[in-house]
Amino acid sequence: VSRLKHWGWGLEERQPAAADVRAAAALIAARTGVAVEEVEQPVALEEVSVRAPRIAAPAALESVLTAATYERARHSLGKSYCDVVRGMRGQFDDAPDLVARPGDERELEAVLEWCAGERIAVVPYGGGTSVVGGVTPEVGGDYAGVVSLDTGLLSGVRELDAVSRAARIGAGSLGPALERELGAQGMTLRFYPQSFEFSTLGGWVATRAGGHFATLRTHIDDLVESVRAITPAGAWESRRLPASGAGPSPDRLLLGSEGTLGVITEAWVRIRPRPTRRASRAVAFDDFLRAAECVRELAQSGLEPSNCRLLDAGEAALTGAGDDSQAKLIVGFESAEIDVEPALEQALAICAAHGGEPEPERGADGAAETWRGAFLDAPYLRDVLVMAGLLVETFESAVTWDRFAALHAAVGSAVETALAETGVAGGRVHCRLTHVYPDGAAPYFTVVAPAARGEEVAQWSHVKRAASDALVEAGGTITHHHAVGRDHVAWYERQRPELFARLLRAGRAELDPAQIMNPGVLGL
Amino acid sequence: VSRLKHWGWGLEERQPAAADVRAAAALIAARTGVAVEEVEQPVALEEVSVRAPRIAAPAALESVLTAATYERARHSLGKSYCDVVRGMRGQFDDAPDLVARPGDERELEAVLEWCAGERIAVVPYGGGTSVVGGVTPEVGGDYAGVVSLDTGLLSGVRELDAVSRAARIGAGSLGPALERELGAQGMTLRFYPQSFEFSTLGGWVATRAGGHFATLRTHIDDLVESVRAITPAGAWESRRLPASGAGPSPDRLLLGSEGTLGVITEAWVRIRPRPTRRASRAVAFDDFLRAAECVRELAQSGLEPSNCRLLDAGEAALTGAGDDSQAKLIVGFESAEIDVEPALEQALAICAAHGGEPEPERGADGAAETWRGAFLDAPYLRDVLVMAGLLVETFESAVTWDRFAALHAAVGSAVETALAETGVAGGRVHCRLTHVYPDGAAPYFTVVAPAARGEEVAQWSHVKRAASDALVEAGGTITHHHAVGRDHVAWYERQRPELFARLLRAGRAELDPAQIMNPGVLGL
């Protein structure tokens, strides 16, 4: 049976062989100049121990709850760099006491009711791919215990409205499964976060995930037609509507609630036919900031490309898209309905005016598809690099264009300084733009450095703190699409209106008087 | 000095002469077949009396508050049909005790503090163009009095960021004034609700108003970068960001809050250069529902036209756009940056495939501009028709495409039956689509009928109730962009998740413990 590794990314059967690790690490070393050290082997599942559960399942919920070590270990951590390091070392200090896998809403309600009565914290868990501590059962307070609530069984495409192009989908559905089901009817949600393979629709909604489209419908927010959630006070379901002006949007309050208001169980989402026409090109620029000016013009042009990803030279080299001498822009359009060549032509004209040189065409599935393959494989690669002693982590933001260049400079310099302070040499920080808007851009930073073996968590925490301070001071958001979780709370609190936090706390107390839902997340 | 009429629409100096009223009414009679009766003259301001104020301004606020009859009368009513009838008859039963016009946030805070201390209800008032009772000081409860808080002095473009294409604008700015200021720097917000001439940015944000664009950025929601509001608990201000995934959006909670959380004082909004390229055509269809199918394909095509307004034959005749035999679609594209002809060509090809026949071109400013002029003049015309004894009112919704035809039929039939039940013959109901989405459309209904003189409010309430029941039963929203106010509460409560209402009530009690902010609106 294929099942997920208890640490890091992917299925057990894709656990890399030592030779593969060395080969991959050598490749990255060649591309980045960061030296590779001895390969460390992960602590095997059989050697993992977790503390004894502090709570026991009541008889009525025995079939829904488990205390198995494998389940508790793999529900202990998300997928941030520190999570991967901890998992590799067999450190599952915050393991949940029990893991719940409700098969339907009735079982889910029963779990919440039991937990509220016993003052047990509940951490909703979709695919567990949080990189911000969103699923870590580190709840603080005086809870009797913690249950990780896995929505995996609440899955499947339940209804499809081909006329309105919408589908009702269980929140526990993983990306590939929901795409397979939609694809059987010629449709697609076309939402590809980097976690696509192992993340869920419910998780995307709860965390305002960012997807496939570089412009317009960048977040899952824009694809959601209605949401249903189970809260400790009962069910919350909005009406399916293409748009509405009736009061503040209830969906926009669940979007980003990160499990603090309840467990999202299903959503109606906007789907579309698979694109049949694509036009995409890679364009080279000598200078990243000049290329960013070009991207600004593209973002303000109304062309609304599906893809508009700008990689700086280092990022291009790291991902094999270039040779470390030029920034690369991948700009593309796609449609199932209309001709997309005219739009690409206009986009390339804008690029040319900014000194961008289009690379030779690579066919309909060219650069964009190559990029996407590497993009979705990156989390696998990271496990390997961690084993080889590399620190590899990413963080991201969004900022208005007037502040972009200053933010970019401040963050790069903060990371370099912080890396040096941790005593390592040869670290690198790269930047790409993942999503763009008329009024700003979402820069995404990748850091690669030699890890301080055994001190990785302290090392990365130091760098992360410096980077986050720089982001928020420069006017950015602490996250464009990675969510807040537990890791970003300190910076989130600096950008969030305090009265909004007070309103949310009061509102949450109304729905969850025992305050069991994902305590600690969002600083609530 | 030009100042607003104390009743109905527009400036005192545009009060129509009796001969103009007869001419306009005769034109509508010819277009609709609805007979015109004797012209009624409005009760003059000098003859208007309002009840004595129950409260007096404290010394420190004397310059901010007024009890003048003119101010109290014109802050008594919005601009719904019933408001216009009441105003014409000099019925200002719910006049606020005082009208506040704070000159800055300090004065505004002082007003809220005084009101909270004295348990005086506060009704925020932007341009006063609500058609849903949103500004009517009918607050219920045991308040000591009611203050209408006019934001008119909190106006002006305060900052303009040409790089990010955004501007910080005072909430009390009227449409024409803010466009004039932005235009001086070559920019435009390009947001044209029908109330444009006399409505404010703050009102648009508070009510989630619908604007110029038929697709994509249809509501002010999509143009808002950040919002600042003064609540009874202090200031609420979000960070300027092009997008964010950090927790639920604070702006999306103020958007649609209709004054229940605080008074919006300014917002950063996304602006753009004035379009220099336009391509627009009118297309005739023999059948409205077949035309709606065409509009669905356009909305799902990714072409995203700026204008995509479909008028049924009756609506086309009423507005002078046609002869009552064919439905008319106005489809158009505009840009300051890119060529728009290719998009129009593709749109017209889709129309042709659905049997749509393009009308001859009318130049760059053709059909769309003609339509816009008539659109913005409609509120003036309505005053005239009310004087001539016609019932003229509109209501609107949004619904997914799978339910559109059924909703359209149900609403039409409900209105016709209800009109007949009020004992009038010859009433008509027309429909247009104002905004369209891949998953649905926003139908907008116009009702024209002989008014039951002296019984207009009861007559329209009967029809409105039947229409609203039909809308909500057919799966629509009670409003796509007219807001909830006091008039839509009963239907809003049928579509809103009850737990969301509980959360909002609890959250609001945290910011406004005395519950002074616009009580009654949104059913809070």
Side-chain angles (χ1 to χ4, degrees):
Chain A
V1 241
S2 61
R3 63 174 193 179
L4 289 164
K5 283 160 64 180
H6 66 283
W7 74 285
W9 194 259
L11 301 178
E12 285 183 338
E13 64 202 37
R14 259 187 91 170
Q15 187 88 318
D20 299 334
V21 175
R22 277 190 297 272
L27 176 69
I28 292 299
R31 285 183 181 170
T32 62
V34 175
V36 168
E37 305 197 14
E38 203 178 328
V39 172
E40 179 174 345
Q41 288 304 319
V43 173
L45 178 59
E46 306 80 61
E47 289 161 37
V48 165
S49 70
V50 288
R51 65 176 170 191
R54 296 166 292 178
I55 50 176
L61 289 172
E62 265 176 7
S63 65
V64 179
L65 292 157
T66 175
T69 299
Y70 164 73
E71 291 294 346
R72 292 178 59 211
R74 87 173 181 84
H75 286 82
S76 297
L77 297 167
K79 307 297 178 196
S80 71
Y81 170 68
C82 292
D83 290 335
V84 174
V85 170
R86 287 193 186 102
M88 179 179 73
R89 300 251 163 83
Q91 293 164 357
F92 299 100
D93 303 347
D94 293 308
D97 297 284
L98 298 170
V99 174
R101 265 176 89 83
D104 56 29
E105 287 191 355
R106 219 152 6 158
E107 290 185 351
L108 169 48
E109 282 168 340
V111 171
L112 295 191
E113 197 181 335
W114 174 62
C115 290
E118 302 288 326
R119 206 168 149 71
I120 296 164
V122 175
V123 178
Y125 185 103
T129 61
S130 172
V131 292
V132 295
V135 297
T136 312
E138 198 186 340
V139 297
D142 58 347
Y143 293 94
V146 185
V147 166
S148 181
L149 195 150
D150 189 315
T151 59
L153 298 179
L154 307 173
S155 63
V157 174
R158 295 166 177 182
E159 206 171 337
L160 193 148
D161 170 2
V163 173
S164 315
R165 296 191 173 175
R168 183 164 65 88
I169 304 181
S173 302
L174 295 169
L178 73 84
E179 281 297 335
R180 209 155 39 234
E181 285 189 75
L182 293 174
Q185 299 191 57
M187 303 299 280
T188 173
L189 176 59
R190 217 155 173 69
F191 186 78
Y192 302 116
Q194 194 156 24
S195 59
F196 174 76
E197 196 176 349
F198 297 108
S199 57
T200 62
L201 174 64
W204 303 339
V205 173
T207 61
R208 301 179 69 189
H212 171 73
F213 294 102
T215 66
L216 292 179
R217 299 171 181 103
T218 55
H219 286 84
I220 194 73
D221 311 33
D222 308 305
L223 302 177
V224 164
E225 200 178 63
S226 78
V227 187
R228 182 174 166 87
I230 300 296
T231 80
W236 164 325
E237 181 173 356
S238 61
R239 179 169 281 220
R240 275 188 71 193
L241 291 171
S244 182
S249 165
D251 293 345
R252 296 277 182 171
L253 204 58
L254 285 179
L255 281 154
S257 60
E258 302 194 16
T260 58
L261 298 178
V263 181
I264 290 159
T265 55
E266 65 175 31
W268 274 95
V269 289
R270 301 180 176 118
I271 58 176
R272 61 185 71 211
R274 296 200 71 75
T276 50
R277 309 182 207 193
R278 292 192 182 87
S280 172
R281 288 293 277 282
V283 183
F285 290 84
D286 286 338
D287 180 72
F288 178 68
L289 288 181
R290 193 161 172 216
E293 274 299 290
C294 174
V295 167
R296 176 167 75 90
E297 192 173 332
L298 284 170
Q300 294 177 339
S301 69
L303 287 169
E304 314 292 10
S306 315
N307 199 349
C308 188
R309 282 181 172 70
L310 174 65
L311 320 182
D312 72 12
E315 179 86 10
L318 189 67
T319 57
D323 64 359
D324 208 5
S325 70
Q326 288 186 303
K328 287 284 165 71
L329 171 66
I330 297 162
V331 59
F333 298 83
E334 57 174 49
S335 174
E337 288 87 6
I338 56 169
D339 190 10
V340 290
E341 290 291 345
L344 182 61
E345 270 171 42
Q346 300 199 63
L348 292 177
I350 290 172
C351 291
H354 288 265
E357 299 221 357
E359 303 196 337
E361 292 193 56
R362 293 162 70 185
D365 286 342
E369 297 299 308
T370 308
W371 156 259
R372 200 196 317 164
F375 175 70
L376 293 177
D377 268 352
Y380 287 99
L381 180 62
R382 195 178 54 173
D383 282 8
V384 165
L385 298 179
V386 170
M387 291 167 67
L390 266 68
L391 185 164
V392 190
E393 185 57 312
T394 61
F395 59 91
E396 36 81 74
S397 183
V399 68
T400 48
W401 285 115
D402 60 319
R403 295 172 166 181
F404 170 70
L407 178 142
H408 177 257
V411 168
S413 139
V415 169
E416 281 165 13
T417 304
L419 276 174
E421 285 165 357
T422 69
V424 301
R428 301 173 53 136
V429 53
H430 305 310
C431 182
R432 64 177 189 257
L433 301 185
T434 59
H435 303 82
V436 296
Y437 303 89
D439 55 336
Y444 191 102
F445 297 89
T446 302
V447 178
V448 182
R453 276 252 165 108
E455 301 296 328
E456 292 95 338
V457 171
Q459 180 189 20
W460 177 245
S461 298
H462 181 73
V463 178
K464 172 76 177 174
R465 198 175 312 119
S468 302
D469 283 344
L471 280 181
V472 171
E473 272 159 34
T477 173
I478 189 59
T479 177
H480 172 266
H481 61 269
H482 279 175
V484 174
R486 290 172 176 80
D487 297 356
H488 284 156
V489 167
W491 297 277
Y492 173 56
E493 287 179 341
R494 282 162 64 181
Q495 78 183 67
R496 170 184 61 180
E498 175 53 27
L499 292 183
F500 177 62
R502 280 176 56 187
L503 184 153
L504 268 190
R505 281 191 200 108
R508 183 213 194 189
E510 173 72 18
L511 305 195
D512 176 17
Q515 309 224 22
I516 57 170
M517 295 308 305
N518 218 3
V521 152
L522 292 181
L524 290 183
Chain B
V1 239
S2 60
R3 64 173 192 179
L4 289 164
K5 285 160 64 182
H6 66 284
W7 74 284
W9 194 258
L11 301 179
E12 286 182 337
E13 64 202 35
R14 257 186 92 169
Q15 187 88 315
D20 300 333
V21 176
R22 276 189 297 272
L27 174 69
I28 291 299
R31 284 184 182 170
T32 63
V34 175
V36 169
E37 305 197 13
E38 204 178 326
V39 171
E40 179 173 346
Q41 289 303 319
V43 172
L45 179 58
E46 307 78 64
E47 289 161 37
V48 165
S49 71
V50 289
R51 63 175 173 193
R54 295 165 292 178
I55 50 177
L61 290 171
E62 264 175 7
S63 64
V64 180
L65 293 156
T66 175
T69 299
Y70 164 73
E71 291 295 345
R72 292 178 62 210
R74 85 173 181 85
H75 285 82
S76 298
L77 298 166
K79 306 297 177 195
S80 71
Y81 169 69
C82 292
D83 290 335
V84 174
V85 170
R86 287 193 186 101
M88 180 178 72
R89 301 251 162 81
Q91 293 163 358
F92 299 99
D93 302 346
D94 293 307
D97 297 285
L98 298 170
V99 173
R101 266 175 91 82
D104 56 28
E105 287 192 355
R106 218 150 8 155
E107 290 185 349
L108 169 46
E109 282 168 340
V111 171
L112 294 191
E113 195 181 337
W114 173 62
C115 289
E118 302 288 327
R119 205 167 150 69
I120 296 164
V122 175
V123 177
Y125 186 102
T129 61
S130 172
V131 291
V132 295
V135 297
T136 312
E138 197 187 341
V139 297
D142 57 348
Y143 293 94
V146 185
V147 166
S148 181
L149 194 150
D150 190 316
T151 60
L153 297 179
L154 307 173
S155 64
V157 173
R158 296 165 177 183
E159 205 171 337
L160 192 147
D161 170 2
V163 174
S164 314
R165 295 191 174 175
R168 183 163 65 88
I169 304 181
S173 302
L174 294 169
L178 72 85
E179 281 298 335
R180 207 156 40 233
E181 285 189 76
L182 293 173
Q185 300 189 58
M187 303 298 281
T188 172
L189 176 59
R190 218 153 171 68
F191 187 77
Y192 301 115
Q194 193 155 25
S195 59
F196 174 76
E197 196 176 350
F198 296 108
S199 58
T200 62
L201 175 64
W204 303 339
V205 172
T207 62
R208 301 178 70 188
H212 171 72
F213 294 101
T215 65
L216 293 179
R217 298 170 180 106
T218 55
H219 286 84
I220 194 73
D221 311 34
D222 308 306
L223 302 177
V224 164
E225 201 179 62
S226 77
V227 187
R228 181 174 167 88
I230 300 296
T231 80
W236 164 324
E237 181 172 358
S238 60
R239 180 170 280 223
R240 275 189 72 193
L241 290 170
S244 181
S249 164
D251 294 344
R252 296 278 182 169
L253 204 59
L254 286 179
L255 281 155
S257 60
E258 302 193 16
T260 58
L261 299 178
V263 181
I264 291 160
T265 54
E266 65 176 29
W268 275 94
V269 290
R270 301 179 176 120
I271 58 176
R272 61 185 71 212
R274 296 201 70 77
T276 50
R277 310 181 207 194
R278 291 192 181 87
S280 171
R281 288 291 277 283
V283 183
F285 290 85
D286 286 339
D287 180 71
F288 177 68
L289 288 180
R290 195 165 169 213
E293 276 298 290
C294 174
V295 167
R296 177 166 76 89
E297 191 173 332
L298 284 170
Q300 294 177 339
S301 70
L303 287 169
E304 314 292 10
S306 315
N307 198 349
C308 188
R309 282 181 171 70
L310 174 64
L311 320 182
D312 72 12
E315 180 85 10
L318 189 66
T319 56
D323 63 359
D324 207 6
S325 70
Q326 289 186 304
K328 287 285 164 69
L329 171 66
I330 297 161
V331 59
F333 297 83
E334 58 175 50
S335 175
E337 289 87 6
I338 56 169
D339 190 11
V340 289
E341 291 291 344
L344 182 61
E345 269 171 44
Q346 299 199 62
L348 292 177
I350 291 173
C351 292
H354 287 266
E357 300 218 359
E359 302 195 338
E361 291 191 56
R362 293 162 69 184
D365 285 344
E369 297 300 308
T370 309
W371 156 260
R372 201 198 315 166
F375 175 72
L376 293 177
D377 267 351
Y380 288 99
L381 180 61
R382 195 179 54 173
D383 281 10
V384 166
L385 299 179
V386 170
M387 291 167 67
L390 266 68
L391 185 166
V392 190
E393 184 58 311
T394 61
F395 58 91
E396 37 79 75
S397 183
V399 69
T400 49
W401 285 114
D402 60 318
R403 294 172 166 181
F404 170 70
L407 178 141
H408 177 258
V411 168
S413 141
V415 169
E416 281 166 11
T417 303
L419 277 174
E421 285 165 358
T422 68
V424 301
R428 302 172 52 136
V429 54
H430 305 309
C431 182
R432 66 176 188 257
L433 301 186
T434 59
H435 303 82
V436 297
Y437 303 90
D439 55 336
Y444 192 102
F445 296 89
T446 302
V447 177
V448 183
R453 277 254 164 107
E455 301 296 327
E456 291 95 339
V457 172
Q459 180 190 19
W460 177 246
S461 298
H462 181 73
V463 177
K464 173 75 176 175
R465 198 175 311 120
S468 301
D469 283 343
L471 279 181
V472 171
E473 272 159 34
T477 172
I478 190 59
T479 177
H480 172 267
H481 61 268
H482 279 175
V484 174
R486 291 172 174 81
D487 298 355
H488 284 156
V489 167
W491 296 277
Y492 173 56
E493 288 180 340
R494 282 162 65 181
Q495 78 183 66
R496 169 184 63 178
E498 175 54 27
L499 292 184
F500 177 62
R502 281 176 54 187
L503 184 153
L504 268 189
R505 280 191 200 106
R508 183 212 193 189
E510 174 72 17
L511 304 196
D512 176 17
Q515 309 224 19
I516 58 170
M517 296 307 304
N518 219 1
V521 152
L522 292 181
L524 291 182

